[in-house]
Amino acid sequence: MNNRFEPLKSISTRREFLLVAGTGVLSATALNAFAKDSSRDGTSAVQGENLPAGDSSKRRAAAVVWKNDVEGGEVEVTYAALHALDRPAKENGAADSPGDFSLVPGVKRLEIRIDDAHTESGARATRVTVRFRKRNAGSELPAAGFTFFLRDIAPNTPILVRGLQVAVLAADDRRTYEQVDAAVRAKKLQSERELIDAAPEETYEGACRGTKEMRCPTWLGLGRDMRIFRVMPLDSVGYWGYVEPYDLVRSAIPAEGRDPGRYYFILGRGARCSVDIVRRLEDGVLPIVKSTQRDGDIEYSLTLFATLEKEPLTADNVRGTHWLAAYANSSGKMLTKNETAQYDQMLPAEVTQREQELICRVRVEAVNRGSVPRYAYAKAGYIKANALEGVGTAKFIEGRRTNAEGKVMAVNLLNGEPMPQEEMAILIQPGEKETFDFIFPHRPLTHERAAAAGKQSYEAHYGACKAFWRNKLAQGARISLPDAVIEERLRAGLLHLDIATLGLSESGPLAAFVGWYAPIGSESAPIIQFYDSLGYHRWAERCIQLFLDRQRDDGFIQTCLGYQLETGPVLWTIGEHFRYTRDVAWARRIEPNVLKACRYLLDWRRRNMKEELRGKGYGLLEGKVADPQDFYHSFMLNALTYLGLKRVVEMYAGIDPDAVAEVQRELAPYLADIRKSYAENVARSPVIPLGNGTWIPSFSPWAEYAGPVSLYADGGSWLSHYMFASRDSLIGALYLGIGEVLDPNEQLSEWLLYAHQELMTHRNAGFSQPYYCRHDWLHLRRGEVKQYLKTYYNQFASLQDRETYTFWEHYVGVGESQHKTHEEAWFLMQTRWMLWEEDYDSGTLRLLSMIPRAWLEAGKEIVLEKCKSYFGEFDLRVRSIAPDGRVEAAVRLHGPAKNWPKTVVFRLPHPAGLQPSEVRGGQFDVRTESVILTPAKESMSVVLRY
């Protein structure tokens, strides 16, 4: 798909203007003073009174009115010709020099007349950019400038931009700014932001009512091992079920025709007019599926889990898969010639001739819940999708399904003995049960091995599997919440990440796969950072090592699908890991890799320090950040690059400051260049309407375009990933916040956040692939609890399977986007931010800053143990005690005191919004409902009484 858009040079006219007191229009003297003999930046200039005639049949006029005085500025018209800026009858102001002018106070109106205007629907409509300088204004960003589509001017919906205190009207509309503002306020409309703030806090139940439900296959595996099973009921027909053995993206068994490589088994009488199947995870969190299928009086209770062929699971007998073998079987891999040769050599040992196979065990108990005898039905495991067509070349011998090569694909047992037939109807007395076992090897077994697997104790494997996963959870932080909906998802999520984190168990790099996609510096970042948050530092370090081991000699890091942004995010994650661990020895060990990456990024920046890029990407890296082939000066690319470089300087400032001196010198200029390009981009981007009747400046995903590409200001074809605004919303300017380029509370951030919210979210959740949207971080840092919770609940309530907690990548649920750990990891990080987050520069640890009020209802408790922050390990306990209306909170800090935060902030919101009558232990901030404790001590406690 060609996403290039036409250059603007030949179709843009820029004009300097002077405003005259009392008239709000331009002087002829000013026009003469600013006239040029040659074009500037490819635009045509106007020679004094000799204005271009243009096409008067397409002449349009607009008026710009301000609330306060302005000194002057310029007008630029794109896709039209500037005819005139109306002049007063007599002049009482004059320009001091070209580009500068004086103004008698009182001017608040400018009229602009345009020829050859394009105001029809579609791309490349005429737009007008007005830049101005307020009287006594400094040079701080944002620049005073804005752009509007000429066609957007309408009598009943004036373009009112409160953030700039300016409005745009039809030329015959003589209202002042104040009159326009009053008229809009009189309508009492509300923006998306205001609607959310006026409503009660979002809840999981409310989000479920307002979003669609998506069911997703569940991955069963061991962690470290690329062999997985994907299990799911056959929702389209209404019964269980299938088991898909995969080496990540590659099926481990041959497909039959157009059907996937998939084992099937069938329970129940068949497809019917209703479906009654529920699923759940063991303990609500373990990768063991528990399911119930009801068919009349017969209840089929299923348990599905992955185990080893010859022995029950233990931590010691899970070997894992070499990361390169797993990487070679992933989607998006970018193998070098050397890696391909290595993989060919290790193929037998790592893939086709493993010492023992992975096994998916399916236990089914068919129970008669009725009062009379009833028949239970079952079909033994097979590999053909369409039961009407039989089972192809497979044979059924003594309960074992064999393939054409005579190897066993499934062992089928009834009450511990081989099933006598492949299809059975069994009459079950009331209250009694029959037990089926379906044993599916990851790759077909010999008859001898299959017979031995069938004799393995189900109870021993089941018990060992539970203990195996519970032990992994016990190694990290413990989080107990008053809401099982979230607590279970936190614990299950960690294990979902683990299943897709592959490598040899004992040592060596680990690959943080994003579902079945190869590791990506950007998408693996939240996975690794969540590991660090819960104390799995060794896992995190090994995941980082994979990227360093694959780093090119020139310093560039690239692992997946030709993405060009990975180097910066990897450096960011390295810096985050160091904040958690303060591991100086590790930092010294990887220093050559880090410095090499920095040099590559700085050289890349210098290649873009071209004068023609001033304001449109000067000093910014250009490149592709995701799937779309967009090789532009992306704000996401540069935000994450800047953040990575900034973390490197911070990390080595106390270790080897000379080594990072060049990077440190470049940080401030790089930041300034990104901000200048973004501010200029906002000024050139058309304002968009909000629900409250006002308008707000918009933004582009990269420096070259004007406004969201989804508004087609400069044309192009941008539909991608099931949405029009994928570039604008998912891989664009929102990263300037989390990338520490924009302060969350500055004007540019507010415009970015709420232009995005109004145009590119539904229920404050992004479209299609919402966990790429970093509006969550801006809401967090701006303290906007209701906005944050609206995003938090509505994103996962739909994208995540509500029964087994597996995430899809997209709302459309395409097959390759299942078990998407990038999405799940950002959900987990959002939950972590809700519970604890840090301001590293100020030394502040914020606790419970985004939790729902309902979590502090009487009798509820929040417990965090062994959680990791930038300031070391900490424990937290909060109790809301009935009936005396008391809230008690205590935190304990661990580790060296030199690493502790300077300030600890507890947010303790009352369920009904009440203010405490008594506060013990700290200073209460009414606005944030928080208790501030400074200086921090090893043990701190707070008591609030109401």
Side-chain angles (χ1 to χ4, degrees):
M1 180 172 60
N2 182 9
N3 294 319
R4 297 291 178 178
F5 48 89
E6 294 182 7
L8 310 183
K9 288 187 176 180
S10 63
I11 43 181
S12 178
T13 301
R14 178 178 293 181
R15 181 80 59 74
E16 305 286 350
F17 67 85
L18 175 69
L19 297 177
V20 181
T23 66
V25 292
L26 289 180
S27 74
T29 300
L31 284 171
N32 284 322
F34 294 127
K36 307 287 187 189
D37 292 330
S38 59
S39 64
R40 181 179 54 187
D41 295 332
T43 65
S44 57
V46 179
Q47 293 293 327
E49 301 291 333
N50 300 317
L51 301 176
D55 184 349
S56 60
S57 66
K58 291 186 177 181
R59 183 169 297 167
R60 298 290 186 272
V64 180
V65 295
W66 284 270
K67 179 178 180 180
N68 298 312
D69 289 345
V70 297
E71 291 184 350
E74 61 185 15
V75 172
E76 181 181 330
V77 176
T78 306
Y79 301 119
L82 179 61
H83 176 74
L85 298 171
D86 280 356
R87 302 184 302 279
K90 64 178 182 178
E91 302 165 11
N92 44 17
D96 296 328
S97 62
D100 191 16
F101 55 86
S102 60
L103 173 68
V104 177
V107 171
K108 297 181 181 180
R109 181 182 179 94
L110 168 71
E111 293 188 8
I112 306 168
R113 302 196 182 279
I114 295 168
D115 284 343
D116 300 323
H118 296 275
T119 56
E120 63 278 5
S121 297
R124 302 180 181 89
T126 297
R127 63 180 185 266
V128 181
T129 300
V130 180
R131 306 174 194 277
F132 59 93
R133 293 185 294 276
K134 294 182 180 180
R135 187 174 299 280
N136 300 322
S139 60
E140 291 299 313
L141 297 175
F146 70 103
T147 296
F148 60 92
F149 283 121
L150 189 61
R151 67 185 176 197
D152 287 349
I153 300 172
N156 295 323
T157 55
I159 299 174
L160 173 65
V161 187
R162 283 201 183 118
L164 290 172
Q165 298 181 327
V166 67
V168 181
L169 312 167
D172 58 359
D173 188 335
R174 307 306 298 177
R175 287 181 294 175
T176 65
Y177 174 89
E178 289 78 7
Q179 290 170 326
V180 172
D181 189 35
V184 170
R185 291 183 188 279
K187 294 181 180 180
K188 298 182 179 180
L189 303 174
Q190 290 182 302
S191 64
E192 288 292 320
R193 172 189 184 181
E194 291 161 342
L195 287 169
I196 293 171
D197 282 340
E201 283 182 356
E202 185 64 282
T203 63
Y204 174 67
E205 294 74 19
C208 287
R209 289 192 295 269
T211 58
K212 65 180 180 180
E213 182 174 2
M214 298 178 64
R215 290 161 64 87
C216 185
T218 304
W219 283 21
L220 304 177
L222 308 182
R224 307 298 172 268
D225 196 314
M226 75 173 174
R227 297 173 295 177
I228 53 104
F229 295 100
R230 308 187 317 205
V231 304
M232 186 72 176
L234 292 163
D235 282 342
S236 61
V237 291
Y239 51 67
W240 273 94
Y242 70 77
V243 174
E244 293 179 342
Y246 267 72
D247 296 324
L248 273 187
V249 75
R250 189 171 297 168
S251 176
I253 58 175
E256 289 279 341
R258 297 175 60 185
D259 298 317
R262 178 183 284 180
Y263 297 127
Y264 290 85
F265 61 96
I266 294 179
L267 304 174
R269 291 172 289 176
R272 55 186 180 148
C273 60
S274 64
V275 177
D276 192 352
I277 299 176
V278 295
R279 297 164 301 143
R280 183 162 170 78
L281 300 179
E282 184 82 42
D283 296 346
V285 302
L286 305 182
I288 300 171
V289 174
K290 308 286 285 187
S291 181
T292 301
Q293 175 183 320
R294 295 180 178 86
D295 181 11
D297 287 337
I298 299 295
E299 180 180 277
Y300 301 90
S301 296
L302 295 86
T303 302
L304 303 90
F305 60 93
T307 185
L308 293 172
E309 170 196 347
K310 300 176 182 179
E311 57 190 336
L313 279 177
T314 68
D316 294 333
N317 63 17
V318 175
R319 170 185 175 275
T321 302
H322 191 283
W323 73 264
L324 180 56
Y327 181 69
N329 283 276
S330 66
S331 180
K333 59 186 175 292
M334 300 182 70
L335 290 168
T336 65
K337 289 182 179 180
N338 183 51
E339 287 172 338
T340 301
Q342 291 180 56
Y343 174 67
D344 290 342
Q345 291 179 353
M346 66 175 60
L347 183 62
E350 294 294 338
V351 183
T352 59
Q353 298 176 18
R354 294 294 297 267
E355 64 278 7
Q356 58 177 319
E357 278 301 333
L358 196 66
I359 298 291
C360 181
R361 296 210 58 149
V362 183
R363 166 62 64 93
V364 181
E365 294 182 346
V367 181
N368 183 356
R369 300 297 186 188
S371 302
V372 298
R374 295 292 188 188
Y375 281 97
Y377 289 78
K379 181 179 181 67
Y382 66 101
I383 198 174
K384 191 72 176 178
N386 190 342
L388 294 175
E389 299 176 3
V391 291
T393 58
K395 296 180 180 180
F396 190 82
I397 304 172
E398 297 181 350
R400 297 193 288 273
R401 179 79 70 193
T402 62
N403 62 14
E405 299 174 350
K407 288 191 173 183
V408 177
M409 300 182 294
V411 177
N412 306 279
L413 306 176
L414 171 62
N415 297 321
E417 299 296 326
M419 283 179 66
Q421 296 90 35
E422 62 184 87
E423 297 181 5
M424 298 189 69
I426 303 175
L427 189 68
I428 303 178
Q429 296 297 318
E432 296 188 358
K433 70 178 181 180
E434 300 287 331
T435 300
F436 297 89
D437 285 287
F438 304 119
I439 301 173
F440 298 106
H442 194 263
R443 280 180 168 79
L445 299 171
T446 63
H447 279 273
E448 293 75 15
R449 290 175 65 179
K455 294 177 181 179
Q456 291 275 322
S457 166
Y458 168 84
E459 288 75 15
H461 278 270
Y462 179 43
C465 187
K466 290 188 287 186
F468 175 80
W469 290 110
R470 287 169 180 165
N471 180 61
K472 286 205 174 189
L473 289 174
Q475 295 173 29
R478 185 178 80 88
I479 298 176
S480 176
L481 303 175
D483 188 348
V485 165
I486 305 303
E487 182 182 329
E488 287 185 355
R489 283 168 165 82
L490 267 177
R491 299 170 69 202
L494 174 69
L495 299 182
H496 290 167
L497 303 187
D498 183 69
I499 284 175
T501 299
L502 310 181
L504 296 176
S505 294
E506 293 300 320
S507 61
L510 293 178
F513 288 89
V514 287
W516 66 16
Y517 291 100
I520 313 174
S522 54
E523 293 204 17
S524 298
I527 299 171
I528 300 169
Q529 292 177 29
F530 187 70
Y531 284 158
D532 268 328
S533 295
L534 296 194
Y536 296 87
H537 299 315
R538 180 60 180 154
W539 294 5
E541 180 183 325
R542 293 176 65 192
C543 288
I544 291 170
Q545 191 61 44
L546 181 280
F547 293 100
L548 300 181
D549 282 1
R550 295 202 75 254
Q551 185 180 27
R552 288 189 339 202
D553 290 341
D554 63 3
F556 187 56
I557 297 173
Q558 187 179 56
T559 57
C560 186
L561 289 171
Y563 289 18
Q564 295 177 302
L565 83 164
E566 297 187 59
T567 311
V570 170
L571 295 180
W572 170 39
T573 299
I574 286 172
E576 293 293 295
H577 180 68
F578 185 77
R579 282 183 169 186
Y580 287 109
T581 65
R582 313 291 176 100
D583 188 342
V584 174
W586 172 76
R588 290 189 183 280
R589 190 166 64 250
I590 67 169
E591 185 174 349
N593 298 85
V594 171
L595 297 180
K596 187 164 57 173
C598 291
R599 285 193 293 271
Y600 183 90
L601 295 173
L602 293 182
D603 287 344
W604 192 356
R605 163 170 154 75
R606 290 173 185 131
R607 291 196 300 270
N608 285 276
M609 298 175 74
K610 302 174 182 178
E611 286 304 311
E612 61 267 28
L613 292 175
R614 289 286 181 187
K616 295 183 180 180
Y618 178 87
L620 274 60
L621 282 56
E622 88 293 351
K624 161 181 165 165
V625 299
D627 295 343
Q629 303 300 308
D630 302 328
F631 299 91
Y632 303 122
H633 295 89
S634 158
F635 292 121
M636 177 186 184
L637 170 61
N638 285 277
L640 294 179
T641 298
Y642 170 76
L643 182 60
L645 294 172
K646 184 179 179 182
R647 287 292 184 275
V648 168
V649 170
E650 173 189 289
M651 178 174 169
Y652 288 99
I655 300 174
D656 191 356
D658 292 340
V660 294
E662 182 185 12
V663 183
Q664 185 170 23
R665 285 193 300 270
E666 199 62 40
L667 273 184
Y670 186 27
L671 174 62
D673 287 338
I674 301 172
R675 287 179 60 85
K676 287 175 183 177
S677 281
Y678 183 66
E680 169 61 21
N681 181 265
V682 170
R684 289 188 291 110
S685 296
V687 294
I688 64 168
L690 301 181
N692 62 8
T694 68
W695 296 60
I696 192 170
S698 64
F699 55 90
S700 305
W702 46 75
E704 289 90 332
Y705 208 85
V709 297
S710 55
L711 295 185
Y712 301 93
D714 293 318
S717 179
W718 305 110
L719 180 67
S720 178
H721 291 66
Y722 314 101
M723 63 183 292
F724 287 99
S726 57
R727 280 99 162 166
D728 303 317
S729 175
L730 308 184
I731 52 176
L734 282 173
Y735 283 84
L736 295 170
I738 196 170
E740 299 179 9
V741 174
L742 297 181
D743 183 281
N745 294 302
E746 69 174 293
Q747 182 75 80
L748 283 172
S749 293
E750 182 169 325
W751 288 343
L752 168 62
L753 182 57
Y754 293 110
H756 175 267
Q757 180 183 64
E758 199 85 19
L759 193 60
M760 304 172 198
T761 71
H762 174 63
R763 299 177 68 89
N764 212 27
F767 285 84
S768 185
Q769 195 176 352
Y771 283 96
Y772 252 98
C773 295
R774 294 281 68 82
H775 61 313
D776 51 4
W777 192 89
L778 285 172
H779 287 314
L780 170 76
R781 285 306 181 96
R782 290 168 61 86
E784 297 171 345
V785 177
K786 285 188 174 182
Q787 307 288 330
Y788 188 88
L789 293 176
K790 192 73 173 181
T791 296
Y792 178 79
Y793 281 115
N794 283 280
Q795 287 187 170
F796 85 77
S798 180
L799 203 64
Q800 186 184 50
D801 190 308
R802 295 176 187 176
E803 294 180 323
T804 62
Y805 308 150
T806 303
F807 271 80
W808 288 101
E809 180 179 29
H810 298 279
Y811 287 129
V812 295
V814 291
E816 67 268 20
S817 72
Q818 60 183 253
H819 196 90
K820 192 57 167 34
T821 46
H822 163 259
E823 275 60 35
E824 187 151 24
W826 274 124
F827 159 76
L828 295 170
M829 286 301 293
Q830 286 179 350
T831 310
R832 181 260 204 235
W833 291 339
M834 177 188 294
L835 296 171
W836 77 96
E837 54 105 7
E838 307 92 331
D839 185 328
Y840 186 78
D841 292 338
S842 69
T844 302
L845 174 63
R846 297 190 181 97
L847 302 172
L848 313 182
S849 63
M850 293 287 126
I851 64 167
R853 293 181 180 279
W855 286 12
L856 290 183
E857 290 173 345
K860 294 185 176 180
E861 184 176 55
I862 299 171
V863 178
L864 309 181
E865 294 180 352
K866 300 195 301 181
C867 291
K868 304 303 190 291
S869 78
Y870 297 161
F871 310 114
E873 184 179 304
F874 72 95
D875 303 322
L876 168 71
R877 182 179 296 269
V878 177
R879 295 188 300 163
S880 182
I881 302 172
D884 58 347
R886 186 170 83 253
V887 175
E888 296 179 347
V891 64
R892 184 176 183 85
L893 304 177
H894 300 279
K898 65 180 181 179
N899 296 339
W900 291 351
K902 298 176 182 177
T903 303
V904 174
V905 179
F906 284 97
R907 178 174 168 269
L908 300 170
H910 190 274
L914 302 180
Q915 299 299 322
S917 58
E918 180 184 352
V919 178
R920 288 178 13 211
Q923 180 181 355
F924 189 78
D925 184 298
V926 174
R927 185 183 63 84
T928 62
E929 301 177 289
S930 301
V931 181
I932 302 170
L933 298 89
T934 187
K937 298 180 292 185
E938 181 178 7
S939 296
M940 293 165 282
S941 61
V942 169
V943 177
L944 304 183
R945 292 184 182 275
Y946 294 88

